[in-house]
Amino acid sequence: MNRYTTFLSNGFTSKGHIVDICAPKSILGKSNLPKKVKKWLRYIDTFILFPIWLKQKTRSQPKSTLYILTDQALGMWMPILKSKNHVVHCHDFIALKSALGQIKENPTSWSGRQYQRLIRKGFSKADNFICISKNTRQELIQFLNKTPNRIEQIYNAIDPIFKPGDTIIARKAIAKFLKKDVDNGYLLHVGGNDFYKNRTGVIDLYTAWRKLTNSPLPLLMIGYEPSLALKQRYEASPYKKDIHFLVRIENSLLLNAYQGASLFLFPSLTEGFGWPVAEAMASGCPVITTNAAPMNEVGGTAAIYIERCPSPESVLQWANESAKVIESTLQLTKEERETLIQKGVYQSKTFGEEAILNQIETFYTSITT
């Protein structure tokens, strides 16, 4: 959410608007007390002191001020803002659906369920919403206990640095970083360690593909430091010497990784939007992703699709079937591959920063006028 908040703040500041970012501050939590005590003090900072401060701050602001919650997970503050001009940005309801038992891969604790109940109760008091995908919009309507005044679907914007480049130059940059020859290409995945990113499934998919191909390529996995589960899956793969983790890399190298990849793999179980799909397409990289919303909404007709992994028990069967799609995509002719790339570049223009900012500004203006 820091990334999204920065995008909105920088974008609207450049448009001449006055932007003030408000968030709970560590006051009591900055003490030198033991960690367990500091944890509870931070809760006091967030859920007691911040609401008091926010309520006082709103009293001194002009009536025309627009209050923006950059994520529906901040919904607990809506009771303070509901009588004022406001907008809630909705990204994904993965945590809420998990708390309701709708996502079997992510069981939620009692405290987690209560927290999501508090969030839902809060954002349900809002009147105006922006949703980052059609899928998120549909889910929001199901979760609300009233009909909102305004609800708009506006996609996320991708950074304009993501664009096609010279494949040879890009692979040389990756080779220099890895200290390994990747002139023939590689498969690429970008994602965090959240359960829904299905990073263990990426390794299963890669392992299955390696067993059937006669033209092996390495796998690059970009994201955070691998989780314990991911490390275990990596160790179990007979092809682990060709699996490389690139941790917290700079955007310039991420761009090189997209531009030089033979194929981008994104078999997520669910998403709010799926930024890497749009980034890969914008960078001229063919994409294979899950045939489920919103991944197939972002990819449109420009991506290749595999089915969602139905359960942990059936992951090997899923990987074996999906590996065939990888192989057939890599066997595309030069002309077929170029057509797929151009479709992806065209599709990615849907997520241009300037156009997205203009859409959001129009929606904001409709509330304050």
Side-chain angles (χ1 to χ4, degrees), residues 328-346:
S328 62
T329 304
L330 289 171
Q331 295 303 321
L332 293 175
T333 65
K334 183 178 180 180
E335 291 75 19
E336 290 171 334
R337 177 181 171 84
E338 185 59 30
T339 297
L340 183 61
I341 288 173
Q342 291 306 316
K343 288 174 68 175
V345 172
Y346 181 80

Side-chain angles (χ1 to χ4, degrees), residues 127-144:
D127 292 320
N128 311 301
F129 298 88
I130 290 178
C131 299
I132 62 168
S133 69
K134 295 175 183 176
N135 183 66
T136 297
R137 186 181 190 278
Q138 292 172 354
E139 291 180 341
L140 171 65
I141 292 172
Q142 293 173 3
F143 289 130
L144 288 176

Side-chain angles (χ1 to χ4, degrees), residues 90-161:
C90 297
H91 296 267
D92 70 72
F93 293 101
I94 296 171
L96 178 54
K97 290 192 294 182
S98 296
L100 294 172
Q102 297 178 11
I103 301 180
K104 58 187 177 182
E105 293 91 350
N106 191 42
T108 306
S109 66
W110 178 86
S111 59
R113 293 195 297 272
Q114 299 311 306
Y115 185 55
Q116 288 303 316
R117 181 182 178 186
L118 174 66
I119 290 172
R120 182 181 182 181
K121 183 177 180 181
F123 74 66
S124 294
K125 297 181 183 298
D127 292 320
N128 311 301
F129 298 88
I130 290 178
C131 299
I132 62 168
S133 69
K134 295 175 183 176
N135 183 66
T136 297
R137 186 181 190 278
Q138 292 172 354
E139 291 180 341
L140 171 65
I141 292 172
Q142 293 173 3
F143 289 130
L144 288 176
N145 53 21
K146 66 173 184 178
T147 302
N149 287 349
R150 295 180 178 88
I151 181 170
E152 189 76 18
Q153 187 272 305
I154 302 175
Y155 289 118
N156 278 334
I158 57 175
D159 195 308
I161 71 164

Side-chain angles (χ1 to χ4, degrees), residues 240-281:
K240 65 179 183 180
K241 67 179 180 64
D242 290 328
I243 300 174
H244 306 278
F245 296 102
L246 288 72
V247 179
R248 297 181 181 274
I249 64 173
E250 298 293 331
N251 271 352
S252 57
L253 192 65
L254 174 60
L255 173 60
N256 290 144
Y258 282 134
Q259 292 173 337
S262 305
L263 193 61
F264 179 68
L265 301 178
F266 198 72
S268 285
L269 302 176
T270 186
E271 289 284 338
F273 177 72
W275 252 309
V277 172
E279 291 172 351
M281 291 190 302

Side-chain angles (χ1 to χ4, degrees), residues 23-29 38-55 72-80 111-112 114-120 122:
K25 297 180 180 179
S26 183
I27 301 173
L28 300 179
K38 289 175 67 174
K39 174 183 176 181
W40 290 103
L41 291 177
R42 284 195 293 269
Y43 286 149
I44 295 175
D45 285 337
T46 301
F47 296 107
I48 297 179
L49 297 185
F50 178 68
I52 294 173
W53 175 87
L54 180 61
K55 192 168 185 177
Q72 81 282 348
L74 304 174
M76 68 280 291
W77 314 132
M78 185 45 60
I80 300 172
S111 59
Q114 299 311 306
Y115 185 55
Q116 288 303 316
R117 181 182 178 186
L118 174 66
I119 290 172
R120 182 181 182 181

Side-chain angles (χ1 to χ4, degrees), residues 1-2 16 23 48 65 152 158 172 181 204 268 294 322 332 349:
M1 286 304 98
N2 289 336
I48 297 179
T65 300
E152 189 76 18
I158 57 175
K172 286 187 181 301
D181 178 15
D204 291 327
S268 285
S322 301
L332 293 175
K349 296 185 184 301

